[in-house]
Amino acid sequence: MSNPIFVALDTPDLDRAIEIAKSVKGHVGGLKLGLEFFCAHGHHGVHEIQKLGLPIFLDLKLHDIPNTVAKAMQAINVLEPAIVTIHASGGRAMMEDAKAAANGHTKVVGVTLLTSLDERDMDRIGYSGTPHDQVERLAALAQEAGLDGIVCSGNEVKAAHKLWKDGYFVVPGLRPKGGALGDQKRAVTPQQARDNGASVLVIGRPITGADNPGEAARAIEATL
């Protein structure tokens, strides 16, 4: 992909999402639609965003029993997303069924550890080891299950890429140099993530929260 930036249109306001997408269109490689957007607008909203002609990343983080996730994947196949997320912690069978149910051109990637979590959070929810340990563990499981790749933070993508040479690595929670971290605990810059092996750079608030989203996207693009 010539431009790895996918801007996160995480808003329930369809008109605002379209406005931002039009503003950044010339400086990004695709558009990410998450739960907030999808719960508000469903298939109709996705179709409206698709009219802009950019690849769509459906960040739904599907996580349920294998049969339910497979049926959910079948239900969104008509939208022909470029990328769909599931939770790798759902297990190998769930990941296998999700991949089998997806369209052939859709990349199915497993979320390893949310970028809002750190080692203390992991301990509280019962995950052993460090964030690196968890990412490597679930990356190996996702590869065994036949997924295309994983979602991980920029701190872990280098190690994951070393283990999975041809994996597809989606890195969210990115913050340009000097940007506010917000609720992201393991953020790096877009350039660092790209240099460490990221295939897709997911960037939200640093672009969508800017006075001029198009200029913000252009500035980030220029650093890559």
Side-chain angles (χ1 to χ4, degrees):
M1 183 179 296
S2 58
N3 187 328
I5 299 172
F6 273 64
V7 65
L9 300 177
D10 295 326
T11 172
D13 186 332
L14 180 57
D15 290 338
R16 176 60 178 159
I18 292 173
E19 179 185 359
I20 293 172
K22 286 181 177 179
S23 174
V24 304
K25 183 177 178 181
H27 303 292
V28 301
L31 305 169
K32 184 189 85 79
L33 304 175
L35 277 176
E36 187 175 356
F37 180 92
F38 197 75
C39 287
H41 303 292
H43 284 217
H44 166 71
V46 177
H47 285 307
E48 290 301 304
I49 298 296
Q50 281 177 325
K51 292 177 181 178
L52 297 173
L54 288 173
I56 299 296
F57 170 9
L58 281 184
D59 186 20
L60 302 182
K61 298 184 178 71
L62 301 175
H63 190 174
D64 213 307
I65 63 172
N67 184 63
T68 298
V69 169
K71 289 186 181 299
M73 190 69 74
Q74 290 169 352
I76 60 175
N77 277 343
V78 66
L79 299 173
E80 300 185 342
I83 310 168
V84 172
T85 49
I86 64 175
H87 266 289
S89 56
R92 179 168 177 169
M94 190 204 81
M95 289 191 278
E96 288 174 341
D97 286 7
K99 179 58 181 174
N103 280 332
H105 65 269
T106 296
K107 290 189 181 298
V108 180
V109 295
V111 175
T112 53
L113 187 69
L114 298 174
T115 53
S116 59
L117 302 179
D118 58 17
E119 196 164 340
R120 185 182 181 192
D121 297 311
M122 287 178 59
D123 182 63
R124 287 179 167 180
I125 59 179
Y127 289 155
S128 62
T130 66
H132 272 81
D133 295 333
Q134 180 72 354
V135 170
E136 290 184 1
R137 184 162 50 228
L138 290 179
L141 190 61
Q143 186 176 19
E144 291 172 13
L147 294 196
D148 296 284
I150 59 168
V151 181
C152 64
S153 88
N155 287 326
E156 290 92 39
V157 69
K158 186 174 184 177
H161 188 266
K162 185 176 180 180
L163 293 171
W164 190 353
K165 297 296 185 184
D166 59 347
Y168 191 78
F169 299 101
V170 176
V171 178
L174 299 171
R175 293 293 182 265
K177 190 174 182 179
L181 289 178
D183 55 3
Q184 304 297 339
K185 295 181 178 178
R186 301 188 339 275
V188 302
T189 69
Q191 183 178 14
Q192 287 172 324
R194 187 63 165 163
D195 290 345
N196 286 338
S199 309
V200 166
L201 308 173
V202 179
I203 305 173
R205 283 165 285 185
I207 292 176
T208 61
D211 292 336
N212 187 324
E215 283 300 307
R218 183 199 61 76
I220 293 173
E221 180 190 22
T223 68
L224 302 178

